[in-house]
Amino acid sequence: MTHFEEIKPRELKPAVLELDGISRASVEAHYRLYQGYVAKRNEILGKLASVDLGAANQVYSELRALKVDLTFAIGGIKNHEVYFEHLGGGGGNPTGAVAKLIARDFGSADAWREDLKATGLAARGWAWTAYDWDERRLFNYIGDAQNTFPVWNATPLVALDVYEHAYFLDFQTDRAAYIDAFFGNLDWDVVNGWVDAYHVPGA
């Protein structure tokens, strides 16, 4: 396998440690899990550099095990980087370009929020609002694990982590209350920055 570069965890913005309704202790514990995904990504890629490609087998082989778990580690990194990056704002209704997209594709901010909340309650791990480049519209997608149900050619713009580790310290089993707190801390400027950077049409 080709050489790889180790990566380091992204630092949290100070505002993410001062969320409304989601405690600093919860965020810090959550961040440590993200750091673990980064460490495992580096470890797995290091092992892949010397794995025996000739022993590859679909029932069991070291290559298969490493490749499968690499998707979990990298998914955990990417998912959490979106999640942490767009927290720390004032929440409320969407503003700017993403507000136009949400109004166009869901009818209203309330309809979008209701659908994403229900998606989060139905998920075992994640719910995303993503722009599908083939359908040319926003959808709310479900995920049950860090590497479950990726949709090709779709770009996440909102990442809602509904694993228990994201909310249990503050909300115990009240996932719905946590999702409401999540909405209240979204930073729409960050989301609009992604819409602009990706040149999402119709915004």
Side-chain angles (χ1 to χ4, degrees):
M1 183 172 174
T2 56
H3 179 70
F4 78 98
E5 297 291 335
E6 289 199 352
I7 62 173
K8 295 181 179 180
R10 293 185 187 176
E11 293 186 10
L12 288 176
K13 299 179 297 184
V16 180
L17 295 170
E18 305 294 337
L19 300 179
D20 184 13
I22 301 175
S23 68
R24 183 187 187 107
S26 184
V27 172
E28 288 177 339
H30 198 169
Y31 181 73
R32 286 193 294 273
L33 289 173
Y34 158 68
Q35 290 175 307
Y37 288 123
V38 173
K40 284 299 177 184
R41 176 261 186 201
N42 293 337
E43 178 184 341
I44 292 168
L45 284 172
K47 290 181 177 180
L48 280 169
S50 60
V51 72
D52 181 3
L53 299 180
N57 183 278
Q58 80 276 14
V59 177
Y60 171 78
S61 59
E62 185 180 11
L63 179 70
R64 174 180 168 77
L66 290 169
K67 289 274 189 172
V68 168
D69 291 337
L70 180 64
T71 69
F72 195 90
I74 290 179
I77 293 168
K78 293 178 182 286
N79 299 342
H80 284 97
E81 287 179 349
V82 177
Y83 175 81
F84 288 128
E85 184 65 24
H86 70 5
L87 289 178
N93 284 329
T95 59
V98 73
K100 293 171 57 180
L101 293 170
I102 286 173
R104 183 194 70 187
D105 295 336
F106 289 92
S108 69
D110 285 342
W112 163 78
R113 191 181 293 106
E114 181 181 17
D115 187 79
L116 185 59
K117 183 174 183 178
T119 304
L121 291 171
R124 295 172 183 166
W126 289 89
W128 293 277
T129 300
Y131 182 78
D132 187 307
W133 293 90
D134 300 307
E135 298 273 356
R136 300 181 69 81
R137 57 157 292 159
L138 298 176
F139 285 97
N140 288 331
Y141 293 114
I142 200 168
D144 283 345
Q146 305 298 350
N147 56 348
T148 307
F149 317 136
V151 176
W152 296 118
N153 214 23
T155 301
L157 297 172
V158 176
L160 169 57
D161 189 345
V162 293
Y163 271 113
E164 284 82 358
H165 64 241
Y167 61 86
F168 196 82
L169 282 179
D170 298 322
F171 297 95
Q172 285 76 54
T173 58
D174 192 352
R175 184 187 289 187
Y178 156 72
I179 294 174
D180 289 337
F182 169 86
F183 285 133
N185 287 283
L186 279 173
D187 188 333
W188 291 113
D189 288 341
V190 170
V191 178
N192 279 312
W194 293 332
V195 170
D196 182 60
Y198 299 138
H199 304 292
V200 176

Short mmCIF file of all heavy atoms in Angstrom, two decimals, residues 163-197:
data_model
loop_
_atom_site.label_atom_id
_atom_site.label_comp_id
_atom_site.label_asym_id
_atom_site.label_seq_id
_atom_site.Cartn_x
_atom_site.Cartn_y
_atom_site.Cartn_z
N TYR A 163 -26.19 9.03 18.50
CA TYR A 163 -25.66 8.01 19.40
C TYR A 163 -25.85 8.48 20.84
O TYR A 163 -25.74 9.69 21.13
CB TYR A 163 -24.17 7.80 19.16
CG TYR A 163 -23.79 6.79 18.11
CD1 TYR A 163 -23.18 7.20 16.92
CD2 TYR A 163 -24.00 5.44 18.31
CE1 TYR A 163 -22.79 6.27 15.96
CE2 TYR A 163 -23.62 4.50 17.36
CZ TYR A 163 -23.01 4.91 16.20
OH TYR A 163 -22.64 4.00 15.26
N GLU A 164 -26.09 7.54 21.75
CA GLU A 164 -26.31 7.92 23.15
C GLU A 164 -25.15 8.72 23.73
O GLU A 164 -25.35 9.57 24.61
CB GLU A 164 -26.56 6.67 24.00
CG GLU A 164 -27.94 6.08 23.85
CD GLU A 164 -28.09 5.19 22.61
OE1 GLU A 164 -27.11 5.05 21.83
OE2 GLU A 164 -29.18 4.62 22.43
N HIS A 165 -23.93 8.47 23.24
CA HIS A 165 -22.79 9.21 23.82
C HIS A 165 -22.90 10.71 23.59
O HIS A 165 -22.25 11.49 24.27
CB HIS A 165 -21.45 8.68 23.27
CG HIS A 165 -21.25 8.87 21.80
ND1 HIS A 165 -21.08 7.81 20.93
CD2 HIS A 165 -21.19 9.98 21.02
CE1 HIS A 165 -20.91 8.27 19.70
NE2 HIS A 165 -20.97 9.59 19.74
N ALA A 166 -23.71 11.12 22.59
CA ALA A 166 -23.83 12.55 22.29
C ALA A 166 -24.71 13.28 23.31
O ALA A 166 -24.60 14.50 23.43
CB ALA A 166 -24.41 12.74 20.89
N TYR A 167 -25.55 12.55 24.03
CA TYR A 167 -26.53 13.25 24.86
C TYR A 167 -26.81 12.64 26.23
O TYR A 167 -27.46 13.27 27.07
CB TYR A 167 -27.86 13.36 24.11
CG TYR A 167 -28.51 12.05 23.73
CD1 TYR A 167 -29.35 11.37 24.61
CD2 TYR A 167 -28.30 11.49 22.47
CE1 TYR A 167 -29.95 10.17 24.26
CE2 TYR A 167 -28.90 10.30 22.10
CZ TYR A 167 -29.73 9.65 23.00
OH TYR A 167 -30.32 8.45 22.64
N PHE A 168 -26.30 11.43 26.52
CA PHE A 168 -26.76 10.74 27.72
C PHE A 168 -26.39 11.48 29.01
O PHE A 168 -27.17 11.48 29.97
CB PHE A 168 -26.22 9.31 27.76
CG PHE A 168 -26.94 8.44 28.75
CD1 PHE A 168 -28.14 7.85 28.42
CD2 PHE A 168 -26.43 8.24 30.03
CE1 PHE A 168 -28.83 7.06 29.33
CE2 PHE A 168 -27.11 7.46 30.96
CZ PHE A 168 -28.31 6.87 30.60
N LEU A 169 -25.23 12.12 29.06
CA LEU A 169 -24.84 12.84 30.28
C LEU A 169 -25.82 13.94 30.63
O LEU A 169 -26.07 14.21 31.81
CB LEU A 169 -23.43 13.44 30.11
CG LEU A 169 -22.24 12.50 30.25
CD1 LEU A 169 -20.94 13.27 30.02
CD2 LEU A 169 -22.23 11.83 31.63
N ASP A 170 -26.38 14.58 29.62
CA ASP A 170 -27.28 15.72 29.84
C ASP A 170 -28.75 15.33 29.82
O ASP A 170 -29.56 15.93 30.54
CB ASP A 170 -27.03 16.80 28.78
CG ASP A 170 -25.64 17.36 28.84
OD1 ASP A 170 -25.11 17.53 29.95
OD2 ASP A 170 -25.06 17.63 27.76
N PHE A 171 -29.11 14.39 28.98
CA PHE A 171 -30.53 14.12 28.72
C PHE A 171 -30.97 12.70 29.05
O PHE A 171 -32.14 12.37 28.87
CB PHE A 171 -30.85 14.42 27.25
CG PHE A 171 -30.64 15.85 26.86
CD1 PHE A 171 -29.45 16.24 26.27
CD2 PHE A 171 -31.62 16.80 27.08
CE1 PHE A 171 -29.24 17.57 25.91
CE2 PHE A 171 -31.43 18.13 26.73
CZ PHE A 171 -30.23 18.52 26.14
N GLN A 172 -30.05 11.86 29.53
CA GLN A 172 -30.34 10.44 29.75
C GLN A 172 -30.96 9.85 28.48
O GLN A 172 -30.31 9.86 27.46
CB GLN A 172 -31.23 10.25 30.99
CG GLN A 172 -30.47 10.44 32.30
CD GLN A 172 -30.20 11.90 32.62
OE1 GLN A 172 -31.12 12.71 32.65
NE2 GLN A 172 -28.95 12.24 32.85
N THR A 173 -32.19 9.38 28.53
CA THR A 173 -32.78 8.74 27.34
C THR A 173 -33.70 9.68 26.56
O THR A 173 -34.37 9.24 25.62
CB THR A 173 -33.59 7.49 27.75
OG1 THR A 173 -34.60 7.87 28.69
CG2 THR A 173 -32.68 6.44 28.37
N ASP A 174 -33.73 10.95 26.92
CA ASP A 174 -34.63 11.90 26.24
C ASP A 174 -33.96 12.44 24.98
O ASP A 174 -33.49 13.58 24.94
CB ASP A 174 -35.01 13.04 27.19
CG ASP A 174 -36.16 13.89 26.65
OD1 ASP A 174 -36.55 13.69 25.47
OD2 ASP A 174 -36.65 14.74 27.40
N ARG A 175 -33.92 11.61 23.97
CA ARG A 175 -33.25 12.00 22.73
C ARG A 175 -33.94 13.20 22.08
O ARG A 175 -33.28 14.07 21.50
CB ARG A 175 -33.21 10.83 21.75
CG ARG A 175 -32.44 11.15 20.48
CD ARG A 175 -32.54 10.07 19.43
NE ARG A 175 -31.79 8.87 19.82
CZ ARG A 175 -31.62 7.84 19.00
NH1 ARG A 175 -32.15 7.84 17.79
NH2 ARG A 175 -30.92 6.78 19.40
N ALA A 176 -35.25 13.27 22.16
CA ALA A 176 -35.99 14.37 21.53
C ALA A 176 -35.55 15.73 22.10
O ALA A 176 -35.38 16.70 21.35
CB ALA A 176 -37.49 14.18 21.70
N ALA A 177 -35.37 15.79 23.42
CA ALA A 177 -34.94 17.05 24.04
C ALA A 177 -33.53 17.41 23.58
O ALA A 177 -33.21 18.59 23.35
CB ALA A 177 -34.99 16.94 25.56
N TYR A 178 -32.67 16.41 23.45
CA TYR A 178 -31.32 16.66 22.93
C TYR A 178 -31.36 17.21 21.51
O TYR A 178 -30.64 18.16 21.18
CB TYR A 178 -30.50 15.38 22.97
CG TYR A 178 -29.35 15.35 21.98
CD1 TYR A 178 -28.21 16.13 22.17
CD2 TYR A 178 -29.42 14.56 20.83
CE1 TYR A 178 -27.17 16.12 21.25
CE2 TYR A 178 -28.38 14.54 19.91
CZ TYR A 178 -27.27 15.32 20.12
OH TYR A 178 -26.23 15.32 19.21
N ILE A 179 -32.21 16.63 20.66
CA ILE A 179 -32.30 17.11 19.28
C ILE A 179 -32.76 18.56 19.25
O ILE A 179 -32.24 19.38 18.47
CB ILE A 179 -33.23 16.20 18.45
CG1 ILE A 179 -32.61 14.81 18.31
CG2 ILE A 179 -33.49 16.81 17.07
CD1 ILE A 179 -33.50 13.78 17.63
N ASP A 180 -33.70 18.91 20.13
CA ASP A 180 -34.13 20.32 20.21
C ASP A 180 -32.95 21.21 20.61
O ASP A 180 -32.79 22.32 20.07
CB ASP A 180 -35.26 20.46 21.21
CG ASP A 180 -36.57 19.85 20.71
OD1 ASP A 180 -36.74 19.71 19.48
OD2 ASP A 180 -37.43 19.52 21.55
N ALA A 181 -32.13 20.76 21.55
CA ALA A 181 -30.95 21.53 21.96
C ALA A 181 -29.96 21.64 20.80
O ALA A 181 -29.34 22.70 20.61
CB ALA A 181 -30.29 20.89 23.17
N PHE A 182 -29.79 20.57 20.06
CA PHE A 182 -28.92 20.60 18.88
C PHE A 182 -29.36 21.70 17.92
O PHE A 182 -28.55 22.52 17.47
CB PHE A 182 -28.96 19.23 18.20
CG PHE A 182 -28.33 19.18 16.83
CD1 PHE A 182 -26.97 18.97 16.68
CD2 PHE A 182 -29.11 19.33 15.69
CE1 PHE A 182 -26.38 18.92 15.43
CE2 PHE A 182 -28.53 19.28 14.42
CZ PHE A 182 -27.17 19.08 14.30
N PHE A 183 -30.65 21.74 17.60
CA PHE A 183 -31.16 22.78 16.71
C PHE A 183 -30.87 24.18 17.26
O PHE A 183 -30.58 25.11 16.51
CB PHE A 183 -32.67 22.63 16.50
CG PHE A 183 -33.06 21.49 15.60
CD1 PHE A 183 -34.08 20.61 15.96
CD2 PHE A 183 -32.44 21.29 14.38
CE1 PHE A 183 -34.47 19.58 15.13
CE2 PHE A 183 -32.81 20.26 13.54
CZ PHE A 183 -33.83 19.39 13.91
N GLY A 184 -30.95 24.31 18.59
CA GLY A 184 -30.75 25.60 19.21
C GLY A 184 -29.31 26.08 19.21
O GLY A 184 -29.04 27.23 19.58
N ASN A 185 -28.38 25.22 18.82
CA ASN A 185 -26.96 25.57 18.82
C ASN A 185 -26.32 25.56 17.43
O ASN A 185 -25.10 25.72 17.32
CB ASN A 185 -26.19 24.61 19.74
CG ASN A 185 -26.45 24.89 21.20
OD1 ASN A 185 -25.92 25.82 21.79
ND2 ASN A 185 -27.29 24.06 21.82
N LEU A 186 -27.11 25.36 16.39
CA LEU A 186 -26.55 25.34 15.05
C LEU A 186 -26.02 26.71 14.66
O LEU A 186 -26.61 27.75 14.98
CB LEU A 186 -27.61 24.89 14.03
CG LEU A 186 -27.84 23.39 13.93
CD1 LEU A 186 -29.03 23.10 13.01
CD2 LEU A 186 -26.60 22.68 13.41
N ASP A 187 -24.91 26.70 13.95
CA ASP A 187 -24.30 27.93 13.44
C ASP A 187 -24.58 27.99 11.94
O ASP A 187 -23.90 27.35 11.14
CB ASP A 187 -22.79 27.93 13.71
CG ASP A 187 -22.14 29.26 13.37
OD1 ASP A 187 -22.66 29.99 12.50
OD2 ASP A 187 -21.09 29.57 13.97
N TRP A 188 -25.57 28.76 11.56
CA TRP A 188 -25.98 28.81 10.15
C TRP A 188 -24.94 29.50 9.29
O TRP A 188 -24.88 29.24 8.08
CB TRP A 188 -27.34 29.50 10.03
CG TRP A 188 -28.44 28.66 10.59
CD1 TRP A 188 -29.21 28.91 11.70
CD2 TRP A 188 -28.89 27.39 10.10
NE1 TRP A 188 -30.10 27.89 11.92
CE2 TRP A 188 -29.93 26.94 10.95
CE3 TRP A 188 -28.51 26.59 9.02
CZ2 TRP A 188 -30.59 25.73 10.75
CZ3 TRP A 188 -29.17 25.39 8.82
CH2 TRP A 188 -30.19 24.96 9.67
N ASP A 189 -24.10 30.34 9.87
CA ASP A 189 -23.02 30.95 9.08
C ASP A 189 -22.06 29.87 8.58
O ASP A 189 -21.56 29.94 7.45
CB ASP A 189 -22.26 31.98 9.92
CG ASP A 189 -23.07 33.24 10.15
OD1 ASP A 189 -24.05 33.48 9.40
OD2 ASP A 189 -22.73 33.99 11.09
N VAL A 190 -21.77 28.88 9.43
CA VAL A 190 -20.90 27.78 9.01
C VAL A 190 -21.55 26.99 7.89
O VAL A 190 -20.91 26.68 6.88
CB VAL A 190 -20.56 26.87 10.21
CG1 VAL A 190 -19.86 25.60 9.74
CG2 VAL A 190 -19.70 27.60 11.22
N VAL A 191 -22.82 26.65 8.05
CA VAL A 191 -23.52 25.87 7.02
C VAL A 191 -23.56 26.66 5.71
O VAL A 191 -23.31 26.10 4.63
CB VAL A 191 -24.95 25.51 7.49
CG1 VAL A 191 -25.68 24.74 6.39
CG2 VAL A 191 -24.90 24.70 8.78
N ASN A 192 -23.82 27.94 5.78
CA ASN A 192 -23.83 28.75 4.56
C ASN A 192 -22.44 28.85 3.94
O ASN A 192 -22.31 28.95 2.71
CB ASN A 192 -24.39 30.15 4.86
CG ASN A 192 -25.91 30.15 4.89
OD1 ASN A 192 -26.56 29.61 3.99
ND2 ASN A 192 -26.47 30.75 5.92
N GLY A 193 -21.41 28.80 4.76
CA GLY A 193 -20.06 28.78 4.22
C GLY A 193 -19.81 27.53 3.40
O GLY A 193 -19.15 27.58 2.34
N TRP A 194 -20.35 26.39 3.86
CA TRP A 194 -20.22 25.16 3.07
C TRP A 194 -21.02 25.24 1.78
O TRP A 194 -20.54 24.82 0.73
CB TRP A 194 -20.68 23.96 3.90
CG TRP A 194 -19.80 23.65 5.07
CD1 TRP A 194 -18.46 23.90 5.18
CD2 TRP A 194 -20.19 23.03 6.30
NE1 TRP A 194 -17.99 23.48 6.40
CE2 TRP A 194 -19.02 22.94 7.10
CE3 TRP A 194 -21.39 22.55 6.80
CZ2 TRP A 194 -19.05 22.37 8.37
CZ3 TRP A 194 -21.42 21.99 8.07
CH2 TRP A 194 -20.28 21.90 8.85
N VAL A 195 -22.24 25.76 1.86
CA VAL A 195 -23.07 25.92 0.65
C VAL A 195 -22.32 26.74 -0.38
O VAL A 195 -22.30 26.39 -1.57
CB VAL A 195 -24.43 26.56 1.01
CG1 VAL A 195 -25.19 26.95 -0.25
CG2 VAL A 195 -25.26 25.63 1.88
N ASP A 196 -21.68 27.80 0.07
CA ASP A 196 -20.91 28.66 -0.84
C ASP A 196 -19.67 27.96 -1.36
O ASP A 196 -19.37 27.99 -2.56
CB ASP A 196 -20.53 29.95 -0.10
CG ASP A 196 -19.77 30.92 -0.99
OD1 ASP A 196 -20.31 31.34 -2.03
OD2 ASP A 196 -18.60 31.22 -0.67
N ALA A 197 -18.94 27.29 -0.47
CA ALA A 197 -17.70 26.63 -0.88
C ALA A 197 -17.95 25.50 -1.88
O ALA A 197 -17.14 25.29 -2.80
CB ALA A 197 -16.98 26.07 0.35
#
